Amino acid sequence: MIRIHIEKRLKAYNGIQVLRIEKTVTPGSILRVTGPSGAGKTTLLKMIAGLIAPDAGTIAVGDAVWYESAMKINFSPQQRQPGFVFQDYALFPNMTVLQHLQYATQDAAWITRLLAIGQLQTFAHHKPAHLSGGQQQRLAILRALAIRPRLLLMDEPFSALDVKMKTRLIADLLLVIKELNATAIIVSHNQQELDGICNDELVLGGEE
Amino acid sequence: MDLQPIWLSLKLAGVTTLLLLVIGLPLAWWLAKKQSVIRLMIEALLTMPLVLPPSVLGFYLLLAFSPQGGLGKWLHEVFNLQFVFSFTGLVLASVIYSIPFMVSPVKSAFQQLPPSLSQASYTLGKTPWQTFWRVLLPNIKPSLLTATVLTFAHTLGEFGVVLMIGGNIPGVTRVASIAVYNAVEQQDYASANNYALVLFAITFVLVAGVFVYNKYQVKSPLV
């Protein structure tokens, strides 16, 4: 089980909002996170990844406590190692597609397979500046998968993909997630793109 | 023309730039992280050589390292180090004098990188040091090159600080800028012109080279 019970004060246009989340995620499930802009969806993913500290609460994955405010436990992102797909992709401009994956993993066979999943084989030696938006987004997903994460955190991961590519990629992604025995938390605005894929949903509203 | 002052200037600028790469890059990285009062104060202090007359800096360095008293005496007695009127002293003064030229552009470049770059690297399990070398530093290459060349060129052009702490000892502290001054004092305008022209040519080629490189960086989609 992944237990998330956290509180975080967020600065919003109308003052301070408090983000309170209490959610238990079943291992192997795919959770869709939705809510209006500024509700704290990205902040939630970053808190789970250890990139932002909550103000209070607990985050526990299985038996491991990643964050516990009372006991001052706060694992670093390196200790948590989630697969993280950033909304702005966060690709490294100095690295080619292949170098991105080699930076994340030494496993050549796994890299070959990832390139096939993202259909980026012919672009292996291209840097992000020479990839289209959709290709960049696919690379961001592949890089997150490269570390074989047990927890996959994805922030609007399919927003730049056309319908055909999206359908194909999601099908492959589901296979990989199953294979890795991973849990996925996906932030998405588009209800349909994750229809029939997610087993759970978390709606963030933001309270005063 | 006696080429020794030119070589001395190039040697001083080279050593200073190398030292500033070692000291300045981690310092700029540290300063680029979250702001705090201490960081701001340190940054203000590091920027002082930009606005202070070089003679002020040279004067204080001269006082600090004078073998007659205090720190200078202690360094001389314990480590047999003499900073005043020596090449080592020139290097130390140049490092302090040129530090803003290295730190400031590099710090701004680090700050302009999206925070998600480091964050992505951390989630892949990489340490801050690995992230610095593999992700951050390669992505500020143009700024790094500009900072390196400006530091080098600025050190070549030093005069006030060098004169205060190094004096005008041929072969030891008489760098090209001092040699120009010295030649003019002796009304040897031909020599002054030679040194001045060489300094002008070297710095112009360096600065123009950087501008051209940054403008026409390789734009190929492959590697």
Side-chain angles (χ1 to χ4, degrees), chain B residues 24 52 66 77 198 203:
Chain B
L52 273 180
S66 158
E77 282 170 3
V198 170
T203 40

Side-chain angles (χ1 to χ4, degrees), chain A residues 12 49 112 154 179:
Chain A
T112 309
M154 307 171 98
E179 209 177 291

Side-chain angles (χ1 to χ4, degrees), chain A residues 37-111:
Chain A
S37 295
K41 302 184 293 293
T42 298
T43 309
L44 168 65
L45 289 192
K46 289 196 171 175
M47 285 192 290
I48 298 173
L51 297 168
I52 298 178
D55 294 331
T58 311
I59 299 172
V61 176
D63 294 330
V65 177
W66 283 4
Y67 176 81
E68 168 69 68
S69 55
M71 292 167 71
K72 294 201 169 16
I73 297 174
N74 188 8
F75 276 25
S76 66
Q78 287 90 343
Q79 289 168 306
R80 303 184 193 200
Q81 278 198 41
F84 202 114
V85 180
F86 289 79
Q87 196 173 10
D88 67 354
Y89 315 147
L91 298 176
F92 309 132
N94 60 312
M95 293 188 199
T96 62
V97 169
L98 188 62
Q99 285 166 342
H100 271 88
L101 301 180
Q102 286 169 338
Y103 185 61
T105 178
Q106 310 284 321
D107 185 341
W110 181 227
I111 290 177

Side-chain angles (χ1 to χ4, degrees), chain B residues 1-6 179 188 190-199:
Chain B
M1 182 174 73
D2 176 13
L3 285 177
Q4 199 161 40
I6 306 281
D188 179 3
S191 293
N193 184 39
N194 288 340
Y195 288 127
L197 208 61
V198 170
L199 272 187

